[in-house]
Amino acid sequence: MRITVLGKSPAWQDAGGACSGYLVEADGCCLLLDCGNGVFAKLRAQRDLTQVQAVVISHLHADHFFDLVPYAYALTYSHAARAAGSRPLLYVPPGGRETLRRITGAWDAEELIEHAFDLHEYDSAQEVDLDPLRVGFHEVPHFIRTHAVRLRDVAGGGTFTYGADCRPNDEIVAFARDSDLLLLEATLEQPEEAGCRGHLTPTEAGEHARRAGAGRLVLTHFSGDHDQAQARGEAERAFGGPVELAREGATYTV
Ligand SMILES: [Zn+2]
Ligand SMILES: [Zn+2]
């Protein structure tokens, strides 16, 4: 299984960057995990649109799904996509269909996304089989309903878990148990001081990955404005081993 970072920015992009988006490929299966603002152009720079079989969205914050809009327009109007009859599978959280209708309904295009994609609302009790990838979901605490996503390559072996956005929690530790690669957000330089927490610091990401027994930890969803060396050092001290910082275009093989 090969993971390519298309976008790693938090809710605002770095210069030339993109919000959350990761391409996951294994033996003929090509899947896009999250499709935040800026991701569609990054996807087009890497692959032909018609190669993507499925899109999985962790939660419906703008930085994780906004580029479904230009993606849907491309599937609807581009000659290449129409000629290929492309209609990728789209997996969204429970209630996602109605949320997407409300958003595109703002310009009277309620069914834009569900016409362009074969839309399904996933259920954390069931895995999705995208041969050879098996996709599992587990709810994690964030500001809105959010799911971590685990991908297992049932043919080649290897497990990759994406923690989505979350505050410190035990759920992701159990769900990511013994993953070969764990991709965790490290949005904050310091924990939120007031109100409900929603994100992790590099230290917290490192602690969660150590508790999960992850083989390899990659931090993501952080701003390029942050001190990268400090973030890596904090995460490595907590994880007890080397930690990588996601950068756009980087690939990881599991
Ligand atoms: Zn979020
Ligand atoms: Zn986010």
Side-chain angles (χ1 to χ4, degrees), residues 76-135:
T76 306
Y77 294 111
S78 97
H79 294 307
R82 285 166 60 98
S86 291
R87 190 164 181 252
L89 292 157
L90 171 61
Y91 294 94
V92 298
R97 181 186 298 269
E98 189 51 40
T99 303
L100 293 173
R101 281 183 178 173
R102 279 208 314 277
I103 288 162
T104 58
W107 61 94
D108 296 329
E110 282 87 352
E111 296 180 341
L112 169 71
I113 290 172
E114 62 197 77
H115 275 165
F117 294 90
D118 180 7
L119 190 150
H120 302 265
E121 294 184 0
Y122 52 70
D123 174 350
S124 56
Q126 288 186 322
E127 290 194 325
V128 169
D129 189 4
L130 297 171
D131 186 34
L133 294 177
R134 198 67 58 78
V135 190

Side-chain angles (χ1 to χ4, degrees), residues 34 57-61 64 93-94 122 124 136-150 161-176 182-185 196-200 208:
D34 276 347
I57 302 295
S58 64
H59 67 301
L60 292 170
H61 270 157
H64 296 258
Y122 52 70
S124 56
F137 307 92
H138 194 85
E139 194 163 350
V140 290
H142 185 46
F143 299 117
I144 59 171
R145 195 164 190 192
T146 298
H147 290 75
V149 181
R150 184 180 59 215
T161 303
Y162 168 52
D165 289 1
C166 60
R167 63 174 164 266
N169 68 94
D170 293 331
E171 288 87 340
I172 188 62
V173 173
F175 184 61
L182 177 55
L183 182 63
L184 283 182
E185 68 130 300
C196 177
R197 291 205 56 191
H199 294 286
L200 302 176
H208 283 64

Side-chain angles (χ1 to χ4, degrees), residues 6 9 13-18 38 42 248:
L6 300 180
S9 294
Q13 294 109 308
D14 298 329
K42 301 286 186 183
E248 279 141 25

Side-chain angles (χ1 to χ4, degrees), residues 12 19 26 29-30 46 50 56 63 74 77 94 97 116 124 127 131 144 152 166 179 209 222 224 227 243:
W12 65 100
C19 293
C29 179
C30 181
Q46 292 274 352
T50 59
V56 174
D63 54 322
Y77 294 111
R97 181 186 298 269
S124 56
E127 290 194 325
D131 186 34
I144 59 171
R152 290 190 294 122
C166 60
S179 291
F222 56 86
D227 184 329
V243 172

Side-chain angles (χ1 to χ4, degrees), residues 43-72:
L43 172 65
R44 299 198 69 188
Q46 292 274 352
R47 297 290 180 276
D48 189 292
L49 268 194
T50 59
Q51 290 178 279
V52 179
Q53 288 143 359
V55 181
V56 174
I57 302 295
S58 64
H59 67 301
L60 292 170
H61 270 157
D63 54 322
H64 296 258
F65 83 95
F66 251 20
D67 266 17
L68 287 178
V69 172
Y71 198 164

Side-chain angles (χ1 to χ4, degrees), residues 204-217:
E204 289 166 340
E207 287 168 352
H208 283 64
R210 177 179 49 74
R211 288 168 56 207
R216 190 173 173 191
L217 170 63

